[in-house]
PDB file of all heavy atoms in Angstrom:
ATOM      1  N   SER K 234      50.147 -56.023  77.664  1.00 89.00           N
ATOM      2  CA  SER K 234      50.617 -55.749  76.313  1.00 89.00           C
ATOM      3  C   SER K 234      49.448 -55.265  75.447  1.00 89.00           C
ATOM      4  O   SER K 234      48.292 -55.499  75.743  1.00 89.00           O
ATOM      5  CB  SER K 234      51.221 -57.025  75.700  1.00 89.00           C
ATOM      6  OG  SER K 234      51.431 -56.873  74.321  1.00 89.00           O
ATOM      7  N   ARG K 235      49.780 -54.576  74.376  1.00 84.00           N
ATOM      8  CA  ARG K 235      48.769 -54.124  73.438  1.00 84.00           C
ATOM      9  C   ARG K 235      48.395 -55.201  72.426  1.00 84.00           C
ATOM     10  O   ARG K 235      47.647 -54.927  71.466  1.00 84.00           O
ATOM     11  CB  ARG K 235      49.276 -52.872  72.685  1.00 84.00           C
ATOM     12  CG  ARG K 235      49.484 -51.662  73.573  1.00 84.00           C
ATOM     13  CD  ARG K 235      49.913 -50.474  72.731  1.00 84.00           C
ATOM     14  NE  ARG K 235      50.172 -49.293  73.539  1.00 84.00           N
ATOM     15  CZ  ARG K 235      49.247 -48.433  73.927  1.00 84.00           C
ATOM     16  NH1 ARG K 235      48.001 -48.642  73.605  1.00 84.00           N
ATOM     17  NH2 ARG K 235      49.578 -47.385  74.665  1.00 84.00           N
ATOM     18  N   ILE K 236      48.913 -56.403  72.580  1.00 90.00           N
ATOM     19  CA  ILE K 236      48.691 -57.420  71.569  1.00 90.00           C
ATOM     20  C   ILE K 236      47.198 -57.743  71.427  1.00 90.00           C
ATOM     21  O   ILE K 236      46.459 -57.837  72.403  1.00 90.00           O
ATOM     22  CB  ILE K 236      49.486 -58.711  71.861  1.00 90.00           C
ATOM     23  CG1 ILE K 236      49.427 -59.641  70.650  1.00 90.00           C
ATOM     24  CG2 ILE K 236      48.989 -59.380  73.143  1.00 90.00           C
ATOM     25  CD1 ILE K 236      50.417 -60.786  70.702  1.00 90.00           C
ATOM     26  N   SER K 237      46.782 -57.834  70.205  1.00 90.00           N
ATOM     27  CA  SER K 237      45.422 -58.254  69.829  1.00 90.00           C
ATOM     28  C   SER K 237      45.604 -59.297  68.718  1.00 90.00           C
ATOM     29  O   SER K 237      46.326 -59.020  67.740  1.00 90.00           O
ATOM     30  CB  SER K 237      44.608 -57.071  69.336  1.00 90.00           C
ATOM     31  OG  SER K 237      43.597 -57.465  68.451  1.00 90.00           O
ATOM     32  N   LYS K 238      44.972 -60.441  68.872  1.00 93.00           N
ATOM     33  CA  LYS K 238      45.153 -61.455  67.822  1.00 93.00           C
ATOM     34  C   LYS K 238      44.776 -60.908  66.468  1.00 93.00           C
ATOM     35  O   LYS K 238      45.441 -61.184  65.467  1.00 93.00           O
ATOM     36  CB  LYS K 238      44.346 -62.710  68.141  1.00 93.00           C
ATOM     37  CG  LYS K 238      44.863 -63.550  69.293  1.00 93.00           C
ATOM     38  CD  LYS K 238      44.120 -64.855  69.387  1.00 93.00           C
ATOM     39  CE  LYS K 238      44.567 -65.642  70.599  1.00 93.00           C
ATOM     40  NZ  LYS K 238      44.136 -65.003  71.868  1.00 93.00           N
ATOM     41  N   TYR K 239      43.678 -60.131  66.425  1.00 95.00           N
ATOM     42  CA  TYR K 239      43.250 -59.613  65.131  1.00 95.00           C
ATOM     43  C   TYR K 239      44.143 -58.465  64.675  1.00 95.00           C
ATOM     44  O   TYR K 239      44.773 -58.538  63.607  1.00 95.00           O
ATOM     45  CB  TYR K 239      41.813 -59.144  65.197  1.00 95.00           C
ATOM     46  CG  TYR K 239      41.387 -58.449  63.928  1.00 95.00           C
ATOM     47  CD1 TYR K 239      41.497 -59.099  62.698  1.00 95.00           C
ATOM     48  CD2 TYR K 239      40.913 -57.128  63.926  1.00 95.00           C
ATOM     49  CE1 TYR K 239      41.142 -58.487  61.511  1.00 95.00           C
ATOM     50  CE2 TYR K 239      40.553 -56.507  62.754  1.00 95.00           C
ATOM     51  CZ  TYR K 239      40.659 -57.182  61.553  1.00 95.00           C
ATOM     52  OH  TYR K 239      40.315 -56.561  60.378  1.00 95.00           O
ATOM     53  N   ALA K 240      44.222 -57.398  65.454  1.00 94.00           N
ATOM     54  CA  ALA K 240      44.929 -56.207  64.991  1.00 94.00           C
ATOM     55  C   ALA K 240      46.420 -56.440  64.816  1.00 94.00           C
ATOM     56  O   ALA K 240      46.999 -56.020  63.810  1.00 94.00           O
ATOM     57  CB  ALA K 240      44.679 -55.045  65.954  1.00 94.00           C
ATOM     58  N   THR K 241      47.045 -57.120  65.771  1.00 94.00           N
ATOM     59  CA  THR K 241      48.480 -57.395  65.638  1.00 94.00           C
ATOM     60  C   THR K 241      48.735 -58.298  64.438  1.00 94.00           C
ATOM     61  O   THR K 241      49.709 -58.118  63.704  1.00 94.00           O
ATOM     62  CB  THR K 241      49.036 -58.034  66.920  1.00 94.00           C
ATOM     63  OG1 THR K 241      48.709 -57.207  68.043  1.00 94.00           O
ATOM     64  CG2 THR K 241      50.544 -58.190  66.827  1.00 94.00           C
ATOM     65  N   GLY K 242      47.874 -59.285  64.243  1.00 94.00           N
ATOM     66  CA  GLY K 242      48.026 -60.169  63.099  1.00 94.00           C
ATOM     67  C   GLY K 242      47.885 -59.434  61.780  1.00 94.00           C
ATOM     68  O   GLY K 242      48.673 -59.630  60.847  1.00 94.00           O
ATOM     69  N   MET K 243      46.893 -58.562  61.670  1.00 95.00           N
ATOM     70  CA  MET K 243      46.718 -57.791  60.444  1.00 95.00           C
ATOM     71  C   MET K 243      47.927 -56.895  60.195  1.00 95.00           C
ATOM     72  O   MET K 243      48.395 -56.762  59.060  1.00 95.00           O
ATOM     73  CB  MET K 243      45.451 -56.945  60.545  1.00 95.00           C
ATOM     74  CG  MET K 243      44.166 -57.744  60.425  1.00 95.00           C
ATOM     75  SD  MET K 243      43.873 -58.401  58.768  1.00 95.00           S
ATOM     76  CE  MET K 243      43.413 -56.873  57.897  1.00 95.00           C
ATOM     77  N   ALA K 244      48.447 -56.251  61.243  1.00 93.00           N
ATOM     78  CA  ALA K 244      49.615 -55.388  61.079  1.00 93.00           C
ATOM     79  C   ALA K 244      50.830 -56.188  60.646  1.00 93.00           C
ATOM     80  O   ALA K 244      51.647 -55.727  59.842  1.00 93.00           O
ATOM     81  CB  ALA K 244      49.892 -54.655  62.378  1.00 93.00           C
ATOM     82  N   ALA K 245      50.981 -57.413  61.172  1.00 92.00           N
ATOM     83  CA  ALA K 245      52.104 -58.259  60.785  1.00 92.00           C
ATOM     84  C   ALA K 245      51.979 -58.742  59.354  1.00 92.00           C
ATOM     85  O   ALA K 245      52.976 -58.857  58.630  1.00 92.00           O
ATOM     86  CB  ALA K 245      52.195 -59.466  61.743  1.00 92.00           C
ATOM     87  N   LEU K 246      50.758 -59.038  58.928  1.00 93.00           N
ATOM     88  CA  LEU K 246      50.544 -59.561  57.577  1.00 93.00           C
ATOM     89  C   LEU K 246      50.535 -58.476  56.523  1.00 93.00           C
ATOM     90  O   LEU K 246      50.841 -58.736  55.355  1.00 93.00           O
ATOM     91  CB  LEU K 246      49.210 -60.312  57.528  1.00 93.00           C
ATOM     92  CG  LEU K 246      49.114 -61.612  58.352  1.00 93.00           C
ATOM     93  CD1 LEU K 246      47.686 -62.059  58.468  1.00 93.00           C
ATOM     94  CD2 LEU K 246      49.983 -62.695  57.739  1.00 93.00           C
ATOM     95  N   HIS K 247      50.189 -57.234  56.912  1.00 92.00           N
ATOM     96  CA  HIS K 247      50.069 -56.127  55.950  1.00 92.00           C
ATOM     97  C   HIS K 247      50.900 -54.947  56.456  1.00 92.00           C
ATOM     98  O   HIS K 247      50.358 -54.045  57.135  1.00 92.00           O
ATOM     99  CB  HIS K 247      48.603 -55.735  55.800  1.00 92.00           C
ATOM    100  CG  HIS K 247      47.697 -56.848  55.397  1.00 92.00           C
ATOM    101  ND1 HIS K 247      47.696 -57.414  54.138  1.00 92.00           N
ATOM    102  CD2 HIS K 247      46.790 -57.567  56.129  1.00 92.00           C
ATOM    103  CE1 HIS K 247      46.796 -58.374  54.078  1.00 92.00           C
ATOM    104  NE2 HIS K 247      46.248 -58.501  55.273  1.00 92.00           N
ATOM    105  N   PRO K 248      52.199 -54.919  56.187  1.00 89.00           N
ATOM    106  CA  PRO K 248      53.079 -53.882  56.755  1.00 89.00           C
ATOM    107  C   PRO K 248      52.668 -52.462  56.402  1.00 89.00           C
ATOM    108  O   PRO K 248      53.091 -51.524  57.057  1.00 89.00           O
ATOM    109  CB  PRO K 248      54.451 -54.246  56.151  1.00 89.00           C
ATOM    110  CG  PRO K 248      54.361 -55.702  55.833  1.00 89.00           C
ATOM    111  CD  PRO K 248      52.937 -55.938  55.421  1.00 89.00           C
ATOM    112  N   GLY K 249      51.859 -52.255  55.382  1.00 90.00           N
ATOM    113  CA  GLY K 249      51.505 -50.904  54.990  1.00 90.00           C
ATOM    114  C   GLY K 249      50.408 -50.279  55.838  1.00 90.00           C
ATOM    115  O   GLY K 249      50.149 -49.081  55.747  1.00 90.00           O
ATOM    116  N   LEU K 250      49.791 -51.065  56.715  1.00 93.00           N
ATOM    117  CA  LEU K 250      48.711 -50.526  57.553  1.00 93.00           C
ATOM    118  C   LEU K 250      49.282 -49.671  58.684  1.00 93.00           C
ATOM    119  O   LEU K 250      50.385 -49.943  59.177  1.00 93.00           O
ATOM    120  CB  LEU K 250      47.902 -51.675  58.155  1.00 93.00           C
ATOM    121  CG  LEU K 250      47.028 -52.472  57.192  1.00 93.00           C
ATOM    122  CD1 LEU K 250      46.394 -53.654  57.930  1.00 93.00           C
ATOM    123  CD2 LEU K 250      45.951 -51.589  56.571  1.00 93.00           C
ATOM    124  N   PRO K 251      48.547 -48.652  59.129  1.00 92.00           N
ATOM    125  CA  PRO K 251      49.026 -47.876  60.309  1.00 92.00           C
ATOM    126  C   PRO K 251      49.082 -48.781  61.511  1.00 92.00           C
ATOM    127  O   PRO K 251      48.109 -49.456  61.850  1.00 92.00           O
ATOM    128  CB  PRO K 251      47.950 -46.792  60.445  1.00 92.00           C
ATOM    129  CG  PRO K 251      46.748 -47.315  59.727  1.00 92.00           C
ATOM    130  CD  PRO K 251      47.268 -48.172  58.607  1.00 92.00           C
ATOM    131  N   ALA K 252      50.241 -48.806  62.168  1.00 89.00           N
ATOM    132  CA  ALA K 252      50.436 -49.787  63.247  1.00 89.00           C
ATOM    133  C   ALA K 252      51.288 -49.258  64.386  1.00 89.00           C
ATOM    134  O   ALA K 252      51.965 -50.028  65.061  1.00 89.00           O
ATOM    135  CB  ALA K 252      51.071 -51.058  62.670  1.00 89.00           C
ATOM    136  N   ASN K 253      51.263 -47.932  64.614  1.00 88.00           N
ATOM    137  CA  ASN K 253      52.065 -47.371  65.702  1.00 88.00           C
ATOM    138  C   ASN K 253      51.773 -48.049  67.037  1.00 88.00           C
ATOM    139  O   ASN K 253      52.658 -48.220  67.877  1.00 88.00           O
ATOM    140  CB  ASN K 253      51.835 -45.871  65.809  1.00 88.00           C
ATOM    141  CG  ASN K 253      52.466 -45.116  64.659  1.00 88.00           C
ATOM    142  OD1 ASN K 253      53.300 -45.653  63.935  1.00 88.00           O
ATOM    143  ND2 ASN K 253      52.070 -43.865  64.473  1.00 88.00           N
ATOM    144  N   LYS K 254      50.527 -48.385  67.264  1.00 87.00           N
ATOM    145  CA  LYS K 254      50.118 -48.985  68.538  1.00 87.00           C
ATOM    146  C   LYS K 254      50.828 -50.302  68.791  1.00 87.00           C
ATOM    147  O   LYS K 254      51.045 -50.699  69.942  1.00 87.00           O
ATOM    148  CB  LYS K 254      48.596 -49.178  68.522  1.00 87.00           C
ATOM    149  CG  LYS K 254      48.001 -49.630  69.849  1.00 87.00           C
ATOM    150  CD  LYS K 254      46.485 -49.665  69.733  1.00 87.00           C
ATOM    151  CE  LYS K 254      45.850 -50.189  71.015  1.00 87.00           C
ATOM    152  NZ  LYS K 254      44.363 -50.242  70.910  1.00 87.00           N
ATOM    153  N   TRP K 255      51.189 -51.010  67.720  1.00 88.00           N
ATOM    154  CA  TRP K 255      51.824 -52.323  67.871  1.00 88.00           C
ATOM    155  C   TRP K 255      53.268 -52.330  67.349  1.00 88.00           C
ATOM    156  O   TRP K 255      53.825 -53.400  67.088  1.00 88.00           O
ATOM    157  CB  TRP K 255      51.000 -53.385  67.118  1.00 88.00           C
ATOM    158  CG  TRP K 255      49.582 -53.360  67.583  1.00 88.00           C
ATOM    159  CD1 TRP K 255      49.082 -53.861  68.740  1.00 88.00           C
ATOM    160  CD2 TRP K 255      48.474 -52.771  66.925  1.00 88.00           C
ATOM    161  NE1 TRP K 255      47.740 -53.610  68.856  1.00 88.00           N
ATOM    162  CE2 TRP K 255      47.317 -52.948  67.747  1.00 88.00           C
ATOM    163  CE3 TRP K 255      48.309 -52.089  65.701  1.00 88.00           C
ATOM    164  CZ2 TRP K 255      46.064 -52.489  67.394  1.00 88.00           C
ATOM    165  CZ3 TRP K 255      47.052 -51.636  65.344  1.00 88.00           C
ATOM    166  CH2 TRP K 255      45.958 -51.834  66.179  1.00 88.00           C
TER     167      TRP K 255
END
Side-chain angles (χ1 to χ4, degrees):
S234 168
R235 295 183 182 275
I236 190 167
S237 153
K238 289 189 184 69
Y239 174 57
T241 306
M243 287 290 287
L246 293 167
H247 305 287
L250 290 175
N253 288 345
K254 187 175 177 180
W255 305 285

